[in-house]
Amino acid sequence: MTARFVVHPSPIGDILIVVVDDGIVSLHPFDAPVGVEVERIGRALGMAIEPGDPVAAALASTQLDEYFDGSRRIFDLPLDWRLTRGYTTEALHAVSDIPYGEVAGYGEVARSTSSPRAARAVGTACATTPFSIVVPVHRVVRADGSLGEYGGRPDVKRFLIDLEQSVVADDLTEPAASE
């Protein structure tokens, strides 16, 4: 099996998309040189990753563009969860249930899992997710409502939350504007 990657430009910087067997195994913004990121993921997968443009990566690129232009709220992508384990997988699936334009606390997410007191573990799952944006870990905030980190980039987290809330606010004002 060969893994392939593409780098997709976005308003928050380049996004690395890694695909195996037509399933996305990693999708996240990155700051390090692309070779460093590809090597890190390759080690985790136990395989070499080559440049390429598989169908799933092209689909992800299209859906990311739609998300950033405000026309997509839910991603419909084939995700390969092999880089997650145990509770992390469960927590990330729970994060996926947070509605577009809304936020939830780490404890709130934990209460929707089999370990309702595992707020810190939810935080760890969010910090180590292989899927940013498409699994909306940016929608998870601290109990006091403050943002917290986002891979050391709270500015990116703020951008994503603001983007979604702006789209939702525009939806609420559109009917009144057309009357």
Side-chain angles (χ1 to χ4, degrees), residues 156-172:
V156 171
K157 187 171 189 170
R158 170 54 54 206
F159 177 90
L160 297 171
I161 290 170
D162 288 349
L163 169 72
E164 292 182 10
Q165 291 178 343
S166 171
V167 170
V168 169
D170 286 350
D171 287 351
L172 296 174

Side-chain angles (χ1 to χ4, degrees), residues 6 42 51 58 62 75 94 117 133 138 144-145 151-152 160 170 175-176:
V6 297
T62 298
F75 289 91
R117 296 173 48 152
I133 305 166
H138 59 277
D144 66 3
L160 297 171
D170 286 350

Side-chain angles (χ1 to χ4, degrees), residues 32-74:
V34 70
V36 171
E37 285 295 305
V38 167
E39 184 177 320
R40 181 184 64 78
I41 295 168
R43 276 194 312 273
L45 290 171
M47 67 179 75
I49 303 175
E50 301 173 5
D53 193 12
V55 172
L59 180 63
S61 293
T62 298
Q63 290 190 21
L64 284 167
D65 289 343
E66 293 167 350
Y67 170 82
F68 285 114
D69 75 17
S71 64
R72 175 168 293 277
R73 295 177 181 211
I74 298 171

Side-chain angles (χ1 to χ4, degrees), residues 77-157:
L77 297 170
L79 299 181
D80 182 315
W81 294 82
R82 75 180 69 197
L83 292 179
T84 65
R85 301 278 183 269
Y87 185 76
T88 294
T89 306
E90 181 183 358
L92 293 174
H93 280 288
V95 166
S96 296
D97 292 335
I98 301 170
Y100 181 92
E102 296 182 22
V103 295
Y106 294 101
E108 189 178 346
V109 173
R111 285 189 293 280
S112 70
T113 71
S114 63
S115 297
R117 296 173 48 152
R120 293 184 81 150
V122 170
T124 299
C126 290
T128 60
T129 182
F131 310 114
S132 294
I133 305 166
V134 300
V135 172
V137 296
H138 59 277
R139 296 180 192 156
V140 185
V141 297
R142 294 180 174 155
D144 66 3
S146 64
L147 289 184
E149 290 293 314
Y150 185 74
R153 304 263 322 266
D155 57 315
V156 171
K157 187 171 189 170

